[in-house]
Amino acid sequence: MPTRRDTWITGVGILSSLGEGAETHRRKLMAGEPPVTDTATIPGYVVHPLAKVIFDTQIPKKGDQRQMEPWQRIGTYAAGLALTEAGVAGKSEILSEMDMIVAAGGGERDIAVDCSILTELRTANDPEARLNARLQTDLRPTLFLAQLSNLLAGNISIVHGVVGSSRTFMGEESAGIEAMRVAQARIAAGQSEIALIGAGYNGERADMMLLYEFARLCLRGAYAPVFSTGRAPGMAAGSVGTFLVLESRAHAQARGAKPIARLAAVHSSHARREPGGLKRALAALIENARGEADPASTAIFSAASGAEPATSEEAEVLKAVGLPVRAVASRIGHGFEGAFPAAVALAALAVNAGKLYAAMDAPLETPGPAHLRQAIITCAGHWRGEGVGVVEAVD
Amino acid sequence: MAGNLDHAGRPVVAVTGLGVVTSLGRGKAENWTKLTEGRSGIHAITRFPTEGLRTRIAGTVDFLFDTPVAAPVLSERLATLAAEEAVEQAGIGTKGNFPGPLFCAVPPVEAEWPHRRELASECDPAQPITYPALLAAAGRGKHADWHEGFLFGTVGDHLADRFGAKGMPISLSTACASGATAIQLGVEAIRRGECDSALAVATDGSVHAEALIRFSLLSALSTHNTPPEAAAKPFAKNRDGFVMAEGAGALVLESLEHARARGAKVLGIIEGCGEMADSFHRTRSSPDGKPIIGCMKKALADAGVSPNDVDYINAHGTGTPENDKMESMGVIAVFGERAHGVPISSNKSMIGHTLTAAGAIEAVFTLLTIANSRIPPTINYEVADPAITLDVVPNVARDHTVRHAISNSFGFGGQNVCLVFAGAPQ
């Protein structure tokens, strides 16, 4: 077995309700700026809407933008930010060898077409024949490609030229955990030198929210932090794009790239969610991740979704751990497949600054250490899947 | 006896279990018999009304359920059957306790029209349907099981639970290359010593009206509706698109060392994997063929196998004018003058394009080709395309010793994967 190699995070691209770019996020979160939410986009439901973005800066061709639905634009834009930040944008000799794992969900539907068809079918004599006829005339051919899960990766290849390899993981939060874990494991084992990992999510879509609302998991009414007193509030979706450039230390040093932080480990588990299952799995992962970490310089970044019962159970585990916690979804909303990558990205930026973000007025958000050196990132999927990552400062 | 490490000092990855379901039938035996007889599984669609549709045929799997079910339900059933066959053949672990991780290629699915219509029926009949109204209906909690039913992770979760696979299952999609990607991820995990065994499964049971229409609107599908079995015509001059189909393939992967240590029968070796994404276009290959050529070359280099040693190419061979032309060009670029002497055939001529599942199903068939020294034909090859000068094993299976074979998978979105196989070491 090959010697395990250091994995550095050399680029972070993030786009959310707080704005765009690593520095914007770090500055606003350090300053404790309140989350940006609205309940008008999808009446009655809390979402964290995307900040105003001029997509042309990372997706210069309007033709490319037209071929994408917003989730793909968000992701492709964030990927461009990450590549730029890492200093590899446009460097085809590196991009042609760069591995990519995208964590993706479903695409967005044509809401107007869906609603128009559903309205007509209620009174149609031969609804199945009408459905066929309407779909054939109303569906835009290119919309299919804007919906396919693997087409975020496809668009990143086309727009940014990342072509070394391209894989798309699916499965909600688990997809983001496994994307980071596999990319890190491949670099550590010498199977990969540089990789682009991340996700894009459009939180402002009623069609996407429908899947979660079947189980009544979405946050209705007023905004509340994911870790609130009492029951978890529900999931407030966030429009978030996050990509990270992961790189072997040797590869980064050879091109003179500076690390933002070291991605020391990613571990996952797949607990059956019977009573206590999540808590046991997450506690074991955290215990394993803590290792020799000095509690005086460590914090937890939680990707908790806000859904019951997973978030309440995670809160119990984190309370027992006793380290200061920062809940990412309380700040930028829940990004599903992108939840774990976003938490890793924001953790890396804080560790890089040596300082934890301002606490929110919420349980578990105790003051941070004077010098933040290490972050443990936790992710308990709203339904299945648990993961923990460790990010460390590089001296 | 060959060693347990490959040319690069990595664990050799053996295959000890194979499972398959297609429109031709259930299990290796039935599929292999029909495949080598040149029989087609393509038929007229009866699952939903097709009046007025340009394409009315598919390779749906209709023998598992009496009434239509949602795509994830069928996909899970297909995957379960294929995985059961593979795990049983491998004789690995104990029932419900597979010793390694699961890599599961699944179709991207979502709530379907019957579900949307049911939800719509619960909205105010006096008002036009809106998504807020649908959300409100959903939020009444009557359809809570649709949440689990349509999560992308559910098929993989259920399979991992059923087979007792270790760790978090990885659900994935690289469109039409997904099955090959699932295998590739398993090979990589074994090579880096993360596990001794892995279960790679790819499944697709997603032929429904909207999916068919979407592909039809991209002009990707054959409209050769009669007779259905003649519709898929890979490499022929009159090819006019692919035929959507369903199925699942499963492989038990194991380090050769692990397989030998437990006395397992080795069915074949996965010698190498190669991948290159295309940055040219969302549905079309780069005109220079670079990614197709690149993924084959990378796979052969990864395997430490020269093009001269390849005796068979299991083609992606969808039967679209574009794919087959580009694949042929790529093969000629990689194999040079020898290209015309290497048999290449397309299983899709008989089973159609099983989309997410194709890479794994065709990997199963490639390993059976090696094991049986018999190449399944490319059927419906009646009109030669002067632009494609390869030996496509037209219409009739052929006995042929195959030491090394490659299988190509190219997906929409530019995801191209090539796998290199060999028979069991002597």
Side-chain angles (χ1 to χ4, degrees):
Chain A
M1 196 176 160
T3 315
R4 286 181 59 79
R5 309 186 306 163
D6 258 11
T7 303
W8 281 4
I9 298 168
T10 54
V12 163
I14 184 162
L15 173 65
S16 78
S17 52
L18 295 181
E20 66 175 270
E23 273 319 307
T24 300
H25 280 81
R26 181 152 56 187
R27 178 172 51 77
K28 290 191 173 182
L29 293 172
M30 289 292 180
E33 286 202 16
V36 180
T37 62
D38 83 44
T39 51
T41 307
I42 305 170
Y45 293 90
V46 179
V47 300
H48 297 247
L50 192 69
K52 190 168 168 49
V53 173
I54 298 168
F55 283 102
D56 306 28
T57 55
Q58 289 294 342
I59 312 172
K61 289 185 188 162
K62 291 286 188 197
D64 283 334
Q65 290 183 34
R66 277 196 298 273
Q67 296 272 332
M68 303 182 208
E69 284 291 301
W71 74 284
Q72 291 177 344
R73 276 182 228 126
I74 291 167
T76 304
Y77 192 93
L81 292 178
L83 296 171
T84 304
E85 176 93 6
V88 297
K91 295 191 173 165
S92 59
E93 71 284 5
I94 292 175
L95 299 173
S96 66
E97 295 299 323
M98 182 180 258
D99 296 305
M100 170 163 53
I101 308 179
V102 172
E108 299 144 17
R109 298 186 56 83
D110 189 324
I111 283 181
V113 168
D114 278 358
C115 293
S116 166
I117 292 176
L118 285 171
T119 302
E120 183 188 337
L121 293 190
R122 282 194 303 202
T123 53
N125 289 326
D126 187 352
E128 300 216 34
R130 274 308 292 158
L131 176 62
N132 285 355
R134 290 289 309 270
L135 289 174
Q136 286 190 95
T137 52
D138 290 19
L139 285 182
R140 276 181 291 128
T142 54
L143 181 67
F144 187 15
L145 299 171
Q147 293 179 313
L148 275 178
S149 300
N150 70 304
L151 260 291
L152 170 51
N155 278 297
I156 292 171
S157 293
I158 290 167
V159 174
H160 301 306
V162 177
V163 294
S165 69
S166 171
R167 296 148 189 196
T168 296
F169 287 2
M170 307 195 301
E172 294 70 42
E173 295 89 349
S174 302
I177 297 167
E178 288 302 281
M180 298 291 295
R181 187 186 68 77
V182 169
Q184 198 267 347
R186 294 190 72 214
I187 289 171
Q191 291 177 333
S192 172
E193 292 297 336
I194 184 166
L196 179 69
I197 311 301
Y201 190 76
N202 178 5
E204 297 156 70
R205 296 285 298 209
D207 50 345
M208 300 300 294
M209 190 176 282
L210 195 59
L211 175 63
Y212 304 107
E213 194 58 0
F214 286 138
R216 307 177 61 132
L217 294 172
C218 301
L219 174 56
R220 294 189 247 191
Y223 166 83
V226 291
F227 294 125
S228 294
T229 307
R231 272 179 66 83
M235 300 190 290
S239 291
V240 186
T242 312
F243 274 84
L244 298 96
V245 174
L246 305 183
E247 197 166 356
S248 73
R249 183 167 76 179
H251 190 273
Q253 284 176 331
R255 66 180 188 89
K258 294 273 180 288
I260 296 167
R262 175 189 297 113
L263 181 60
V266 181
H267 296 289
S268 61
S269 72
H270 187 239
R272 294 189 186 225
R273 294 271 179 100
E274 73 274 349
L278 184 158
K279 284 193 275 188
R280 279 192 298 276
L282 197 61
L285 285 170
I286 294 171
E287 186 58 34
N288 178 44
R290 285 183 83 165
E292 317 260 300
D294 178 1
S297 59
T298 304
I300 287 182
F301 281 73
S302 168
S305 64
E308 282 289 6
T311 295
S312 288
E313 293 182 9
E314 180 176 342
E316 283 184 50
V317 173
L318 298 185
K319 192 174 175 196
V321 171
L323 292 168
V325 174
R326 296 296 179 266
V328 171
S330 299
R331 291 163 167 81
I332 59 173
H334 187 50
F336 295 90
E337 295 79 14
F340 186 71
V344 172
L346 294 179
L349 295 174
V351 162
N352 178 263
K355 194 175 163 214
L356 193 55
Y357 303 133
M360 294 180 86
D361 182 18
L364 302 173
E365 297 228 353
T366 53
H371 295 287
L372 181 71
R373 305 255 326 138
Q374 174 168 281
I376 296 170
I377 300 96
T378 62
C379 185
H382 79 277
W383 185 248
R384 291 296 292 268
E386 301 80 27
V388 162
V390 179
V391 163
E392 296 171 347
V394 180
D395 295 316
Chain B
M1 191 181 224
N4 290 330
L5 300 180
D6 72 3
H7 68 101
R10 305 168 299 191
V12 171
V13 178
V15 180
T16 56
L18 296 171
V20 68
V21 187
T22 72
S23 54
L24 289 174
R26 179 175 162 178
K28 292 187 289 290
E30 185 175 8
N31 271 281
W32 184 247
T33 299
K34 291 181 176 173
L35 207 62
T36 48
E37 287 172 358
R39 285 165 64 179
S40 169
I42 309 307
H43 48 256
I45 294 168
T46 56
R47 184 176 296 169
F48 51 87
T50 57
E51 290 80 12
L53 300 185
R54 283 158 62 200
T55 293
R56 301 186 295 278
I57 53 169
T60 51
V61 174
D62 297 328
F63 48 80
L64 297 178
F65 292 92
D66 293 333
T67 53
V69 294
V73 175
L74 179 55
S75 299
E76 183 176 327
R77 183 77 187 128
L78 290 163
T80 302
L81 292 171
E84 274 175 354
E85 185 185 15
V87 171
E88 188 178 315
Q89 181 177 28
I92 192 169
T94 53
K95 192 166 171 60
N97 186 21
F98 184 86
L102 170 69
F103 298 93
C104 190
V106 289
V109 293
E110 55 188 349
E112 295 163 13
W113 281 99
H115 308 93
R116 271 181 223 114
R117 289 179 58 197
E118 189 170 336
L119 215 50
S121 75
E122 296 161 16
C123 298
D124 181 352
Q127 297 296 324
I129 298 296
T130 62
Y131 262 93
L134 294 172
L135 268 177
R140 284 177 211 124
K142 192 175 154 193
H143 306 293
D145 56 330
W146 291 355
H147 168 249
E148 181 174 351
F150 292 101
L151 287 173
F152 276 4
T154 289
V155 172
D157 274 346
H158 289 180
L159 283 181
D161 287 349
R162 174 185 284 265
F163 291 95
K166 300 297 171 278
M168 183 113 83
I170 291 186
S171 304
L172 66 109
S173 172
T174 50
C176 307
S178 302
T181 301
I183 295 168
Q184 180 185 24
L185 285 162
V187 168
E188 288 175 355
I190 291 171
R191 281 179 175 174
R192 62 176 177 260
E194 201 169 288
C195 53
D196 295 320
S197 62
L199 181 56
V201 182
T203 184
D204 205 315
S206 69
V207 176
H208 50 74
E210 185 176 315
L212 185 84
I213 290 166
R214 287 177 175 198
F215 277 119
S216 185
L217 289 171
L218 289 173
S219 303
L221 299 182
S222 171
T223 56
H224 187 135
N225 292 306
T226 44
E229 56 273 15
K233 303 174 284 295
F235 302 118
K237 190 168 192 320
N238 58 336
R239 66 187 184 275
D240 70 333
F242 72 81
V243 178
M244 285 182 81
E246 296 176 328
L251 295 87
V252 173
L253 309 177
E254 235 178 310
S255 73
L256 182 59
E257 184 179 3
H258 187 263
R260 283 173 163 165
R262 68 182 187 89
K265 180 176 166 56
V266 173
L267 308 173
I269 299 293
I270 302 181
E271 296 184 293
C273 313
E275 188 178 1
M276 188 183 283
D278 198 328
S279 59
F280 178 68
H281 189 270
R282 288 160 189 82
T283 58
R284 291 188 0 245
S285 300
S286 179
D288 62 5
K290 188 179 164 191
I292 287 176
I293 295 164
C295 83
M296 283 190 270
K297 284 188 169 172
K298 280 183 169 184
L300 290 167
D302 187 54
V305 168
S306 148
N308 291 329
D309 297 326
V310 173
D311 302 309
Y312 169 61
I313 301 167
N314 182 280
H316 187 54
T318 58
T320 65
E322 164 94 2
N323 174 82
D324 297 2
K325 181 183 78 182
M326 293 309 301
E327 186 168 11
S328 168
M329 180 183 136
V331 165
I332 288 167
V334 172
F335 289 86
E337 288 188 5
R338 196 171 164 267
H340 305 93
V342 185
I344 176 170
S345 71
S346 170
N347 304 146
K348 292 184 181 77
S349 63
M350 292 172 279
I351 62 168
H353 190 350
T354 55
L355 303 168
T356 303
I361 289 174
E362 291 164 22
V364 170
F365 290 156
T366 303
L367 285 160
L368 292 176
T369 299
I370 296 172
N372 291 287
S373 299
R374 189 162 174 78
I375 300 175
T378 304
I379 69 164
N380 299 319
Y381 188 81
E382 303 299 338
V383 189
D385 182 347
I388 295 178
T389 51
L390 304 176
D391 172 6
V392 302
V393 195
N395 303 320
V396 181
R398 184 188 302 168
D399 289 326
H400 189 75
T401 301
V402 179
R403 294 161 302 153
H404 303 274
I406 66 171
S407 180
N408 287 331
S409 297
F410 311 135
F412 275 176
Q415 283 139 29
N416 305 300
V417 182
C418 176
L419 303 176
V420 184
F421 301 90
Q426 296 306 305

